[in-house]
Amino acid sequence: MTASTNAPLAHSKGRRVVFVLAGLLSSAAFMLLAVRRLAFDDVTRALTHAELWPWLPLGVLSYLAGHAVRGIRCRRLASGEARLTRTTATNVVVLGYAVNNILPARLGEFARAAMLAERSGLPFAQGLSITFLERILDGLIMLGLLAVAFFSLPQSTHQGWLGATLQIAALVFSVALVGVLAAVLAPSLILRWTSRVAHRVAPRMHDRFVRVIDQAVRGVAYLREPRAALGIAALSLLVWLCEAGLFLCLLPAFGLAFDPRLALLAMTVTNLGILVPSSPGFIGPFHFFCMRALTAVGIAEATGFGYAALVHLAFYVPITLWGVGIIVAYGFRLGANLDAQKSASPLGLLDPGQRFLTPGERPDPAPSAITIALCEALIPEESADVPAHAEVVKSCASFTAGQLAALPFRLRVYYGVGMLALRTATLLRFARPFCKLDQRRRRRWVEAWAYGRLSLGRALLRAPRSTTLLAYYEHPAVQGALGVEPSSRSAASDAVILQLKPGRRANG
């Protein structure tokens, strides 16, 4: 890797470090503000006298129910271009919250978008757009609930900082709402202006900018139907009513009134406060804003801090454990997925420092029969008219086998398990081994996996599909049949040309 390549990576890493440090400092400052006047004996007394049964289990159940509703909402927002089960969609949502509990600076939003892209086949930018859309919807719902709590509580609670919080949140989310409405109502206008601006400012990056903005705009496409938009709004309201249930159930545990208005106030102020990037699990901002919401209605600071600490534990522990279980069950590695998305390597699975070799750059291993049969099904049908067809297929299979052999051990294991599943499914359906299927039937079967509804099937064949097609269009015999003179085009540019060829199917 050259110095010019290392420079932007080092710059990007430096910015991430600064961002994380800013979050940690912000968290420490909020925690200091929260505890600076507390009598810790009073806090200990409030916690030891708290009645956890049955209020804590009820609160946790309400909170977890909210995540199930979030999963339904996520599934609907992605349903235009991907099919997710309720379980998968809920796990995607929970993973984002769990990573926010483990890593600082809200990195869980990116982890969630990466897992959504991995499980659904959606582009990373589109998954991130869906995530940010949900955050905007959440903010608008919380803003409405905060207004309900603010104006329904006694006038004595209308302190200046609460009114200021309401006004600032209204301004921020109103601007965000305008952006969402523009993407929903005038997507072509946004793309047109993006194209014009990119042509003038950064013509070399034009295609990339337009592609990313197009993916982001598609992330809000589900809201273009009024009925669908109303359904999403209703689900968003239900999400936050379930979360308010956690705050409501823990009020009686500290001898406080079972008052929905107070629960709404504590829940909305806390969640708006933790929008600020901070430490893992929002330690500091969560406690400060939750305590401040309660002290605004005359509750003692020690009781308010004890309540905030218990709510935070109920918020933190179940989701973190659930998220760790998801990571173990799915074999999901945050760093590898994010780096693969950023580097946009043809395989989509390579480590950032791993160079993608072009065909013929180094000797490739002899391909197995299953690899040859798979590659023969992945290359275009018109390949049969290319001279030396068998040699072309074997060359593509050799290159694909070499690239797959260069994958990290963990990914090779996953690929081997996936191919075993494909071969087993073939045997069960056709009563014949994969290699023994006639070419037409094998091609249709492979396309059903590579472009079908099953996200795991698309993910399994993404690497061999991209690599095989790259090798195919690089082969001199194929270039000669197409009337193209062999050139020194890079592998990356060939992959782009390949994806843009008329008649080719889009990547799953």
Side-chain angles (χ1 to χ4, degrees):
M1 189 174 288
T2 64
S4 61
T5 307
N6 281 330
L9 289 176
H11 182 62
S12 175
K13 183 178 180 180
R15 285 188 300 176
R16 288 199 299 267
V17 169
V18 170
F19 190 61
V20 169
L21 286 177
L24 294 174
L25 289 174
S26 146
S27 180
F30 277 114
M31 182 58 78
L32 181 62
L33 288 172
V35 303
R36 61 177 179 162
R37 294 183 301 180
L38 282 178
F40 288 99
D41 290 341
D42 294 339
V43 175
T44 303
R45 190 177 303 112
L47 287 171
T48 54
H49 287 82
E51 297 182 10
L52 302 184
W53 180 262
W55 305 113
L56 181 59
L58 289 175
V60 170
L61 285 175
S62 180
Y63 181 60
L64 294 179
H67 281 281
V69 179
R70 283 185 172 96
I72 296 173
R73 182 179 65 177
C74 176
R75 184 188 183 210
R76 288 196 181 183
L77 288 173
S79 63
E81 298 188 38
R83 294 199 176 189
L84 296 170
T85 64
R86 288 190 182 91
T87 301
T88 299
T90 303
N91 286 338
V92 166
V93 170
V94 170
L95 179 82
Y97 280 86
V99 172
N100 279 337
N101 289 346
I102 298 170
L103 299 179
R106 281 193 168 271
L107 295 177
E109 314 300 350
F110 299 95
R112 171 185 163 170
M115 184 175 178
L116 180 59
E118 183 188 44
R119 293 296 155 184
S120 67
L122 293 174
F124 177 76
Q126 189 170 347
L128 197 60
S129 174
I130 291 174
T131 301
F132 287 158
L133 172 61
E134 291 186 16
R135 293 294 168 266
I136 293 170
L137 293 172
D138 290 341
L140 292 171
I141 294 296
M142 283 192 291
L143 183 62
L145 294 176
L146 175 58
V148 169
F150 181 80
F151 291 110
S152 63
L153 285 168
Q155 290 292 322
S156 59
T157 65
H158 292 188
Q159 299 185 15
W161 70 269
L162 275 176
T165 300
L166 190 58
Q167 292 174 3
I168 294 172
L171 176 62
V172 171
F173 287 106
S174 295
V175 172
L177 179 61
V178 170
V180 171
L181 290 177
V184 170
L185 301 176
S188 58
L189 180 64
I190 292 178
L191 291 173
R192 186 161 61 248
W193 278 102
T194 300
S195 179
R196 290 179 181 178
V197 172
H199 264 307
R200 295 192 177 189
V201 177
R204 292 185 178 181
M205 302 291 289
H206 171 271
D207 292 347
R208 183 175 181 180
F209 283 148
V210 172
R211 183 171 64 252
V212 169
I213 295 300
D214 175 60
Q215 291 170 358
V217 167
R218 292 208 310 267
V220 303
Y222 185 81
L223 299 183
R224 288 176 191 145
E225 291 290 333
R227 185 174 178 180
L230 287 175
I232 292 297
L235 287 173
S236 299
L237 176 60
L238 184 57
V239 163
W240 290 101
L241 290 178
C242 288
E243 182 142 342
L246 168 63
F247 287 78
L248 180 62
C249 287
L250 292 185
L251 287 172
F254 288 85
L256 302 175
F258 192 78
D259 190 341
R261 299 172 302 170
L262 182 55
L264 286 178
L265 181 67
M267 185 267 294
T268 53
V269 170
T270 301
N271 280 280
L272 289 173
I274 63 176
L275 290 176
V276 179
S278 63
S279 64
F282 313 107
I283 297 171
F286 191 103
H287 300 78
F288 173 78
F289 287 106
C290 187
M291 182 185 74
R292 289 282 288 167
L294 295 186
T295 56
V297 297
I299 295 172
E301 287 189 346
T303 302
F305 187 84
Y307 171 84
L310 185 59
V311 173
H312 183 266
L313 284 174
F315 152 93
Y316 183 90
V317 174
I319 292 302
T320 304
L321 293 177
W322 189 350
V324 170
I326 293 170
I327 294 172
V328 172
Y330 280 85
F332 178 80
R333 191 173 69 180
L334 172 62
N337 282 274
L338 290 180
D339 287 335
Q341 294 289 345
K342 288 179 181 178
S343 62
S345 64
L347 283 177
L349 293 169
L350 298 178
D351 292 333
Q354 189 172 2
R355 191 164 60 91
F356 189 86
L357 300 176
T358 56
E361 188 171 341
R362 75 177 184 188
D364 294 313
S368 63
I370 184 69
T371 303
I372 294 175
L374 178 63
C375 292
E376 190 175 21
L378 287 170
I379 61 179
E381 290 188 49
E382 62 268 19
S383 64
D385 300 328
V386 175
H389 170 73
E391 180 187 341
V392 171
V393 172
K394 187 174 181 180
S395 175
C396 293
S398 296
F399 176 61
T400 300
Q403 296 298 325
L404 293 174
L407 290 174
F409 174 76
R410 183 183 65 87
L411 295 180
R412 294 202 305 272
V413 171
Y414 288 165
Y415 179 75
V417 172
M419 288 304 298
L420 179 61
L422 172 61
R423 298 171 72 175
T424 302
T426 305
L427 194 61
L428 291 174
R429 176 166 181 177
F430 300 105
R432 301 189 68 185
F434 181 84
C435 297
K436 297 297 183 181
L437 292 178
D438 64 84
Q439 178 141 349
R440 185 175 181 182
R441 181 175 294 180
R442 190 192 321 143
R443 185 184 299 278
R444 290 182 178 178
W445 180 233
V446 168
E447 286 184 353
W449 280 66
Y451 304 100
R453 298 175 179 177
L454 184 63
S455 60
L456 291 177
R458 297 196 303 270
L460 169 67
L461 295 185
R462 185 176 294 126
R465 181 187 66 199
S466 301
T467 313
T468 299
L469 292 176
L470 172 63
Y472 174 77
Y473 283 105
E474 279 281 357
H475 199 283
V478 176
Q479 292 184 345
L482 295 174
V484 178
E485 294 184 3
S487 64
S488 58
R489 294 190 309 261
S490 67
S493 64
D494 274 333
V496 173
I497 294 171
L498 173 61
Q499 292 177 4
L500 296 178
K501 277 188 175 292
R504 293 300 305 165
R505 302 182 71 168
N507 285 346

